[in-house]
Amino acid sequence: MDQRGHAGSKRVGTYTFEFMCDDLLHFANAMNLEQFTLLGHSMGGTVSYLFSQRFPSRIERLIVEDTPPPFSDKQIEISSKPDGPLPLAGCALDFKAT
């Protein structure tokens, strides 16, 4: 589905993650999706986090890509260079200085 004001969807005057979460709820209800796998990318990932927090019984699996977790009460520190290998879907990424 397109988020409000993006791709083929109609432009509207108000854009909030909460409204986009409501849009997703209406879409899931219209499609009769009681429990489903939700995949969100970038801004859609943030909406997906919010949806899964508000409606956990609706989510079978949550997949997010290219979006940080929504920890509003904590500052997220991201190192410019990892200290060692990073796990990724069963493999390890190793960043070495060149």
Side-chain angles (χ1 to χ4, degrees):
M1 90 175 230
D2 294 334
Q3 296 289 348
R4 60 174 55 205
H6 291 78
S9 71
K10 183 179 175 182
R11 290 185 126 2
V12 296
T14 305
Y15 298 89
T16 68
F17 288 123
E18 290 76 15
F19 285 152
M20 291 179 189
C21 183
D22 291 340
D23 294 342
L24 177 56
L25 176 63
H26 295 303
F27 175 81
N29 289 342
M31 299 298 293
N32 295 316
L33 301 173
E34 291 302 316
Q35 191 176 45
F36 56 97
T37 296
L38 179 58
L39 183 145
H41 174 259
S42 191
M43 180 187 68
T46 303
V47 174
S48 297
Y49 275 128
L50 182 60
F51 187 90
S52 66
Q53 287 175 337
R54 288 177 60 188
F55 308 103
S57 65
R58 303 288 297 265
I59 301 302
E60 183 177 32
R61 289 183 189 90
L62 175 64
I63 303 166
V64 293
E65 180 183 22
D66 201 21
T67 189
F71 299 122
S72 60
D73 60 338
K74 296 180 185 178
Q75 182 177 356
I76 300 174
E77 292 186 30
I78 301 173
S79 173
S80 61
K81 182 178 181 228
D83 294 333
L86 299 174
L88 178 66
C91 64
L93 299 177
D94 193 4
F95 293 90
K96 297 184 183 201
T98 56

